[in-house]
Amino acid sequence: MSASPLVQVSDLVVNFHTRRERRRGSAPNAVDGVSFGLSADETLAIVGESGSGKTTVARCVVGLQAHQEGTVMFDGAPVGPVTRRSPATRRAIQMVFQDPAASLNPRMTVRSIIAETWRTHPSAAPDGRTWDAAIDELLADVGLDPDVGTRRATALSGGQCQRVSIARALALRPRLLVCDEAVSALDVSVQSQILRLLAGLRAARGLAILFITHDLGVVRQIADRVAVMHRGRLVETATADDLFERPGHAYTRKLLAAALDLEGA
Amino acid sequence: MSAITARPRLWPVRLRSTPTVAAVATVVLAVYLVVGLIGPLLIAYDPVATSVADRLLPIGAVRSDGTVALLGTDGAGRDMLGQLVYGARTSIIIGISVVAACLAVGLAFGTLAGYLAGWTDVAISRLIDILMAFPGILLAIVIAGLFDRSMLVVVLALSVAGWVGFARLARGLTLSLRERPYVDAARLIGVPTPVVIVRHVVPFVIGPVTALATTEFAGAVLSEAGLSFLGLGLPSATVSWGQVIANGKDYLDTAWWISALPGLALTGLVVSTGLLGDHLTQRLGTSR
Ligand SMILES: Nc1ncnc2c1ncn2[C@@H]1O[C@H](COP(=O)(O)OP(=O)(O)OP(=O)(O)O)[C@@H](O)[C@H]1O
Ligand SMILES: [Mg+2]
């Protein structure tokens, strides 16, 4: 790992307590002291069961969720909520969401969805060629035909929607891509297509990826390192190979055993 | 839709809103629109010109100048047909103006409150609560009573509380829309907040709000008639069904048509608008 990681999350604490819970101090935190680093062109997977706080961590990193304690550093500087970030930082961190269809405004065409990113960040807009040509190229990068450009999200399949989501994120040439269960809603063959696409893009563009999933099979395909989350805490961080060969924490072993059960069944 | 979501109805009888009922209501409304907007161009009517010789003529009677009073005349000898036609125009203008004003204000306040949350939401929600504590018509009566009678005052008086329904609806829808991933995506990209609201929220609020607009139109027409009936509404130079009904109330025994005809016209307009509104609410209101 390089000396200074691209993303450094330290002692992150998030809770969604109601006022009464806060007074009593009884309810657990959704995220409870999470720390990890992610270097440029590395893929870190965060795994854990439902409700363990994975999405909350991801939303803190991109700035959609406020945290009570801790810091999120990007490129050596602390970053706050997305509205207070500099345009350059906003450009550099993009996200792909879990629900493919809901990630795209159903009233907008794919073309206008992608063009919106360039209208917001003129510095990322293609120069030397028309936007239409650049959009076609971007769609080709994520494995879509140019004719998808004129369609709306309602006329696309889940896998196509997710590719458009990825294209929208890539249009800004980000340095960090956060994928929250980005393939969970897709069937297995489309899943591996998208995973291969992400791996290819990562190699071609030097992209850091924070990959949230509850699927250990997916982790094996894409991750360099894995962080295991359980009830708001990181219980283990290891390289992907180590994790599958020599799981350290009891919870990780349980997770692996459960996954094996599923495969065997 | 369950009984829990029952909102105040403008008429007591429950008429099921089938597509046929909605189609009939649409046709009836179209007739009102044509009569109200084109009628005044074809029929001359002067609300100030009275004729003692032609007072209280029944339907179809012949006037002193030999013309036929198709729908009779009132206590001052004024033509009833003319009053109905010009009154239709007044009702339509008032209804549309009030609904347009309420929709614009309600949509803006509601989406802002729902999207920005925090103090903006608290302030707007408290304002809504306060306005909801008063019966709207009472508020309108007070405001209309404070100023000289004019079209603008009536529209303002009816709009002061009328936007609240739109704001509540828009706020509720926005609260769920702002959680949509595509709204998050727009925020991540850094799309300016007003643009996010206009491009990613408002298009999905417009449908249900339009359905409500139809129902509110009926309410505005009815309230204007009420104000004018009380003498708080439009100046007497403008024909209003409410005023005509009030003019006829001394003659209910002898010349029923003076109050009954504008009353029927008002009922027809309000009921068919309400039915269409119900239909639109079923069609658009629940779609997300
Ligand atoms: N907006 C919110 N309001 C209240 N509680 C929330 C909110 N978002 C998350 N939580 C709670 O925080 C905890 C962590 O949720 P989170 O969505 O981060 O889990 P997750 O690991 O992503 O789960 P999943 O795999 O089901 O997506 C859960 O207990 C959840 O109920
Ligand atoms: Mg999640």
Side-chain angles (χ1 to χ4, degrees):
Chain A
M1 233 203 291
S2 64
S4 122
L6 181 67
V7 182
Q8 180 65 53
V9 173
S10 316
D11 306 316
L12 195 70
V13 174
V14 183
N15 63 55
F16 298 101
H17 294 169
T18 57
R19 211 170 289 161
R20 178 189 294 177
E21 284 168 344
R22 200 163 302 146
R23 222 176 312 123
R24 287 205 199 134
S26 54
N29 292 325
V31 175
D32 197 12
V34 163
S35 306
F36 63 87
L38 171 60
S39 53
D41 89 14
E42 185 186 30
T43 299
L44 172 68
I46 300 184
V47 298
E49 65 191 12
S50 187
S52 56
K54 309 181 296 290
T55 297
T56 310
V57 169
R59 293 175 67 85
C60 286
V61 171
V62 299
L64 287 173
Q65 168 69 53
H67 51 270
Q68 275 77 26
E69 285 171 44
T71 50
V72 176
M73 312 263 283
F74 182 78
D75 218 5
V79 286
V82 68
T83 44
R84 300 219 200 98
R85 294 183 178 184
S86 70
T89 309
R90 274 203 289 261
R91 221 191 109 174
I93 305 177
Q94 289 301 314
M95 183 160 172
V96 178
F97 298 87
Q98 174 168 6
D99 184 346
S103 303
L104 308 175
N105 183 332
R107 302 279 167 95
M108 285 168 75
T109 62
V110 169
R111 242 170 234 290
S112 51
I113 285 171
I114 292 175
E116 185 177 45
T117 67
W118 294 333
R119 227 176 291 126
T120 314
H121 292 274
S123 61
D127 40 28
R129 62 217 155 117
T130 62
W131 282 20
D132 279 354
I135 290 171
D136 288 348
E137 205 170 295
L138 200 56
L139 291 177
D141 279 352
V142 296
L144 289 173
D145 287 339
D147 72 280
V148 167
T150 53
R151 291 202 237 157
R152 285 167 220 278
T154 42
L156 298 177
S157 72
Q160 285 172 321
C161 284
Q162 211 60 322
R163 286 166 196 263
V164 173
S165 279
I166 295 171
R168 169 178 57 192
L170 295 178
L172 292 175
R173 278 172 273 125
R175 296 162 66 193
L176 169 66
L177 187 63
V178 177
C179 300
D180 183 10
E181 312 266 10
V183 296
S184 306
L186 308 174
D187 67 55
V188 180
S189 67
V190 184
Q191 260 190 13
S192 58
Q193 283 172 22
I194 300 259
L195 290 175
R196 248 177 283 133
L197 167 69
L198 285 173
L201 289 167
R202 177 195 156 197
R205 301 185 178 223
L207 194 64
I209 301 180
L210 181 61
F211 199 91
I212 314 285
T213 182
H214 57 259
D215 185 339
L216 289 169
V218 168
V219 171
R220 214 194 278 256
Q221 285 184 62
I222 193 158
D224 301 317
R225 278 193 311 136
V226 188
V228 181
M229 249 189 119
H230 181 51
R231 301 201 180 160
R233 294 171 192 269
L234 279 192
V235 294
E236 180 170 6
T237 308
T239 65
D241 295 336
D242 275 356
L243 188 95
F244 286 106
E245 300 305 321
R246 293 175 291 279
H249 194 276
Y251 176 71
T252 314
R253 282 197 288 274
K254 226 177 85 187
L255 213 59
L256 284 172
L260 281 178
D261 270 2
L262 267 185
E263 271 170 36
Chain B
M1 285 259 147
S2 64
I4 300 167
T5 57
R7 51 193 174 68
R9 301 180 76 88
L10 291 163
W11 57 96
V13 189
R14 271 192 98 87
L15 242 169
R16 259 177 54 80
S17 164
T18 63
T20 322
V21 171
V24 171
T26 310
V27 170
V28 172
L29 277 182
V31 171
Y32 272 96
L33 273 179
V34 169
V35 168
L37 299 181
I38 298 176
L41 306 176
L42 305 178
I43 298 176
Y45 172 76
D46 181 356
V48 196
T50 55
S51 162
V52 182
D54 298 325
R55 290 181 71 235
L56 304 177
L57 292 181
I59 292 174
V62 180
R63 267 187 285 250
S64 53
D65 63 1
T67 55
V68 180
L70 280 177
L71 295 179
T73 62
D74 71 0
R78 289 171 297 195
D79 182 32
M80 284 306 299
L81 178 64
Q83 304 198 42
L84 287 187
V85 169
Y86 279 72
R89 177 170 74 177
T90 308
S91 289
I92 290 167
I93 292 175
I94 294 270
I96 288 177
S97 313
V98 169
V99 164
C102 291
L103 196 148
V105 174
L107 192 62
F109 276 22
T111 49
L112 277 179
Y115 188 83
L116 296 178
W119 285 110
T120 319
D121 186 27
V122 171
I124 292 174
S125 297
R126 283 302 88 75
L127 182 60
I128 290 176
D129 289 345
I130 292 170
L131 284 172
M132 297 241 326
F134 297 99
I137 187 71
L138 217 58
L139 211 59
I141 287 173
V142 170
I143 293 168
L146 287 176
F147 297 95
D148 284 345
R149 289 157 67 170
S150 80
M151 188 82 113
L152 185 65
V153 167
V154 170
V155 171
L156 277 181
L158 295 178
S159 304
V160 162
W163 62 271
V164 164
F166 292 101
R168 273 162 45 100
L169 179 64
R171 175 178 174 274
L173 293 168
T174 306
L175 277 178
S176 82
L177 286 166
R178 72 193 291 269
E179 306 288 332
R180 297 271 172 99
Y182 59 80
V183 176
D184 281 339
R187 292 206 289 153
L188 267 192
I189 291 165
V191 178
T193 302
V195 181
V196 176
I197 294 179
V198 168
R199 195 180 292 153
H200 299 290
V201 175
V202 168
F204 305 93
V205 176
I206 282 290
V209 163
T210 309
L212 181 64
T214 319
T215 317
E216 295 265 321
F217 175 90
V221 166
L222 203 55
S223 301
E224 181 277 318
L227 286 182
S228 293
F229 180 86
L230 296 173
L232 294 168
L234 298 167
S236 36
T238 314
V239 184
S240 157
W241 289 339
Q243 239 168 56
V244 182
I245 294 173
N247 291 342
K249 72 180 185 296
D250 294 338
Y251 307 102
L252 285 178
D253 294 338
T254 50
W256 55 268
W257 56 89
I258 304 175
S259 288
L261 292 179
L264 280 175
L266 185 61
T267 310
L269 179 56
V270 168
V271 168
S272 46
T273 318
L275 283 175
L276 184 63
D278 265 12
H279 181 69
L280 290 179
T281 307
Q282 277 173 19
R283 280 273 309 280
L284 306 168
T286 50
S287 77
R288 286 290 149 86

